[in-house]
Amino acid sequence: TLEERKRMTSEMKRKIEASLRELDAKGKRGDAARAFFAEVRSPYALGPLVELILDKTSSLDVKLFLIDVLLQLESKAIPSSMIKIMMKVPDREIQSLCSNYLIENPSEAIVQELQTYLVNSNPMQDRPETINRAAAVLAVIGDQRCIPRLIDVLVTTHE
């Protein structure tokens, strides 16, 4: 049920946050946190991990660590999460990590989702950097069906 999923996600978020706090601890507590993260496979961890990666207060090292944890999950939503992270986190190292994952694991779902970022419906509000990130990954994936969309993004009209 929806209530059960919310409860499981909330519980997983609490465990992840507690273990993150312990990671820098010395001795057994730090070891227990590392062991916890090594064993995380639950799809209920996906939402909390993405939330923490997108959190502006998380350090680069923490974000990179959490992406490693995210990639070990058993979830079909990992590609979509990697796209979201790539589009929202300004750090180039994280963007590169995410784009490499997407390029190495191409799928119809990834191509479709990336194409949604190519729409530049409002040049005053749309972020060109997200359009460029999506276009760069699509170009490397090489799906021929994306070419018209990529061309459309390049065409602009100025008044």
Side-chain angles (χ1 to χ4, degrees), residues 8-72:
M8 295 293 288
T9 301
S10 178
E11 184 178 318
M12 183 57 71
K13 181 179 180 178
R14 184 188 54 74
K15 287 179 182 178
I16 289 170
E17 288 173 340
S19 294
L20 266 180
R21 286 189 297 272
E22 293 178 9
L23 260 185
D24 293 331
K26 294 183 177 162
K28 294 181 182 177
R29 290 181 62 196
D31 291 341
R34 282 185 283 284
F36 166 77
F37 282 117
E39 297 297 319
V40 173
R41 300 288 183 277
S42 171
Y44 295 113
L46 185 70
L49 287 170
V50 171
E51 186 179 316
L52 287 165
I53 294 165
L54 296 178
D55 186 339
K56 289 180 178 22
T57 63
S58 296
S59 71
L60 175 60
D61 288 339
V62 167
K63 290 177 191 233
L64 291 169
F65 174 76
L66 293 175
I67 288 173
D68 285 342
V69 175
L70 182 140
L71 291 175
Q72 71 190 22

Side-chain angles (χ1 to χ4, degrees), residues 113-150:
E113 189 168 345
L114 286 172
Q115 285 190 76
T116 65
Y117 285 93
L118 296 181
V119 178
N120 191 6
S121 58
N122 185 347
M124 298 303 283
Q125 291 180 350
D126 292 345
R127 295 177 28 199
E129 64 271 15
T130 60
I131 294 169
N132 292 341
R133 288 178 207 151
V137 172
L138 287 169
V140 175
I141 289 175
D143 189 317
Q144 299 297 313
R145 296 171 296 171
C146 299
I147 293 173
R149 272 258 175 81
L150 291 167

Side-chain angles (χ1 to χ4, degrees), residues 61-100:
D61 288 339
V62 167
K63 290 177 191 233
L64 291 169
F65 174 76
L66 293 175
I67 288 173
D68 285 342
V69 175
L70 182 140
L71 291 175
Q72 71 190 22
L73 300 181
E74 296 169 356
S75 174
K76 293 178 182 176
I78 289 174
S80 184
S81 297
M82 294 297 276
I83 291 171
K84 184 176 184 178
I85 293 164
M86 179 179 76
M87 295 302 179
K88 293 191 176 199
V89 175
D91 183 82
R92 298 246 186 225
E93 186 174 355
I94 289 179
Q95 292 169 8
S96 178
L97 180 69
C98 293
S99 64
N100 287 340

